[in-house]
Amino acid sequence: MEQTPAPVWVIADQIDCRVLSVTFQLIGQARKLADELQTSVEAVLLGDNIHDQPQELIAAGADRVYLGNAPELSFYHPALYTELIVRLARERQPAIMLLGSTSMGRELAPQVAARLKTGLTAHCIDLVLGENQVLEQRIPAYGGLLSIICPEKRPQMATIASGVFPRPAMNADRTGEVVQLKIPDDVAPRIETLEVVREESEGVPLESAPVVVAGGAGAGDPAGWQQIDDLARLLNAALGCTRPAVDEGWSDLETMIGQSGKMVSPECYIGVGLSGELQHMVGIVGAQIMVAVNIDEKSPVFEQVDFGIVDDCREFIPVLIEKIKEYKERQVTC
Ligand SMILES: Cc1cc2nc3c(=O)[nH]c(=O)nc-3n(C[C@H](O)[C@H](O)[C@H](O)COP(=O)(O)OP(=O)(O)OC[C@H]3O[C@@H](n4cnc5c(N)ncnc54)[C@H](O)[C@@H]3O)c2cc1C
């Protein structure tokens, strides 16, 4: 009897029963890989009160959706989610397992990988099939792109941020199978969700902002950072940052742009006091106009932007703010 090739899996992310965009993007990429491997795409969706969402995943390219639909699965639960996915993976033996680099994916993926005794590549920016159809999981490193492979263990696991792959076109006529999962009753959850407090994000969301101002280590201190923040507010732009700005406590992780942060595609990106390291720059996908302010005229960032300003940002930004204010006042009085 001919054996069906191992499927490509996507672990779906949902909040309040709304499947996140990154899941659809991953289904699109899984479809491409599965077509090359001549296999199927299978999604695992866990939640409560799930109705039309499996059909949405099928419309995006999934052939089969494993659905865990129960009050216990309403919110991401590490032990329960891991257990369900591990048991199902042992049974179905997927070749590839993709998760979003979301709060859930970042925590769930290593737990599942450890239980399945396989490898995991975090924050991939590309996935292609290489020699012997082994998955090349690409990440930026050492000033270039590095392909990580997991040639022996299965599944080959990767996390990918939202915005890395395009969202596929939906085909409402696609058909697929929905398989109901039984909640294991031998898992004793050690964590109980008592309340969910939603953080209200301030200002313009980074991922959809037409203008992004990003600050880096060159800001120097909280006062220097405040100037960059003021510039972003004045331009009604979203404020992003590099890793050192998070490490210094000037900004939080949610605003970091790059390989391990958010992907942005603004009409205009202004990078202030940052060096243009690949891990940051891969997060700026499809920006139309890019501007950098850096004190060092030899900074590699200048090779990657359309307009470069060689200056101390601590002196330049306050002047720029004044000029923008003057310009805005003139517009009002005209
Ligand atoms: C696995 C991995 C994942 C990573 N993921 C990310 C990620 O997602 N996002 C990210 O950002 N980083 C990431 N990093 C870190 C990344 O490699 C860089 O270290 C980081 O992006 C550098 O930040 P920076 O440009 O602000 O700092 P630096 O590289 O230190 O550059 C500071 C720049 O500021 C300039 N400067 C100094 N003073 C002034 C001044 N007064 N006025 C103007 N310019 C000035 C300097 O000339 C310099 O070019 C990752 C690293 C690893 C290993």
Side-chain angles (χ1 to χ4, degrees):
M1 203 174 79
E2 208 175 296
Q3 257 203 321
T4 323
V8 178
W9 269 26
V10 174
I11 307 299
D13 240 285
Q14 60 81 24
I15 295 177
D16 292 341
C17 299
R18 193 178 56 83
V19 175
L20 303 195
S21 195
V22 66
T23 297
F24 293 111
Q25 296 160 14
L26 294 186
I27 297 266
Q29 186 62 15
R31 184 71 267 160
K32 284 188 190 162
L33 296 169
D35 288 346
E36 268 189 73
L37 292 166
Q38 301 191 323
T39 187
S40 56
V41 174
E42 300 185 344
V44 181
L45 175 61
L46 306 178
D48 187 26
N49 280 319
I50 304 278
H51 300 289
D52 304 333
Q53 296 78 357
Q55 188 48 46
E56 289 175 13
L57 298 175
I58 291 167
D63 299 301
R64 181 175 290 121
V65 179
Y66 294 104
L67 176 64
N69 206 5
E72 305 92 292
L73 300 171
S74 173
F75 301 109
Y76 164 59
H77 187 292
L80 210 46
Y81 274 46
T82 303
E83 197 55 47
L84 264 167
I85 292 166
V86 165
R87 287 184 191 196
L88 193 61
R90 283 187 180 140
E91 194 188 304
R92 287 289 306 158
Q93 300 284 321
I96 295 171
M97 191 190 291
L98 309 178
L99 297 95
S101 290
T102 56
S103 309
M104 179 186 89
R106 286 168 196 230
E107 191 185 280
L108 184 59
Q111 298 194 70
V112 172
R115 292 278 306 280
L116 294 176
K117 297 192 167 41
T118 187
L120 166 69
T121 309
H123 312 309
C124 295
I125 61 158
D126 203 4
L127 297 170
V128 293
L129 292 171
E131 211 176 313
N132 297 327
Q133 299 197 310
V134 168
L135 188 69
E136 292 191 6
Q137 304 158 40
R138 299 197 170 146
I139 57 156
Y142 307 117
L145 275 190
L146 203 71
S147 281
I148 296 180
I149 56 167
C150 179
E152 282 166 21
K153 302 285 183 170
R154 291 291 176 272
Q156 303 159 91
M157 288 185 63
T159 64
I160 303 98
S162 180
V164 169
F165 296 119
R167 199 179 158 117
M170 304 290 265
N171 176 0
D173 297 332
R174 277 194 95 250
T175 52
E177 187 188 358
V178 179
V179 179
Q180 304 286 338
L181 294 179
K182 209 177 147 300
I183 311 301
D185 46 21
D186 55 345
V187 183
R190 287 156 62 197
I191 298 171
E192 191 188 344
T193 305
L194 299 178
E195 189 190 2
V196 175
V197 181
R198 302 203 189 272
E199 198 178 351
E200 295 298 330
S201 56
E202 254 188 57
V204 194
L206 256 179
E207 293 98 324
S208 56
V211 183
V212 168
V213 174
D221 58 22
W225 186 259
Q226 189 56 51
Q227 291 176 348
I228 298 172
D229 191 344
D230 292 345
L231 176 66
R233 283 172 199 272
L234 194 61
L235 293 173
N236 200 23
L239 180 65
C241 71
T242 60
R243 167 87 73 193
V246 178
D247 295 343
E248 292 292 338
W250 304 331
S251 200
D252 50 53
L253 191 59
E254 288 307 303
T255 66
M256 189 170 80
I257 296 170
Q259 182 194 352
S260 358
K262 297 253 162 84
M263 300 278 159
V264 299
S265 47
E267 287 163 29
C268 178
Y269 162 90
I270 306 171
V272 182
L274 50 85
S275 59
E277 281 276 351
L278 192 61
Q279 282 94 359
H280 176 70
M281 301 309 272
V282 290
I284 306 143
V285 279
Q288 289 166 31
I289 298 172
M290 294 175 75
V291 183
V293 183
N294 197 299
I295 201 166
D296 175 10
E297 61 179 339
K298 293 198 173 69
S299 171
V301 74
F302 290 132
E303 288 160 25
Q304 306 173 65
V305 295
D306 303 296
F307 300 97
I309 296 146
V310 181
D311 206 345
D312 182 339
C313 62
R314 313 268 308 223
E315 290 174 15
F316 177 75
I317 298 298
V319 175
L320 181 63
I321 286 174
E322 279 317 302
K323 293 286 171 199
I324 295 170
K325 281 183 180 164
E326 280 171 30
Y327 174 78
K328 283 193 167 183
E329 273 162 26
R330 272 207 308 278
Q331 296 295 101
V332 173
T333 50
C334 275

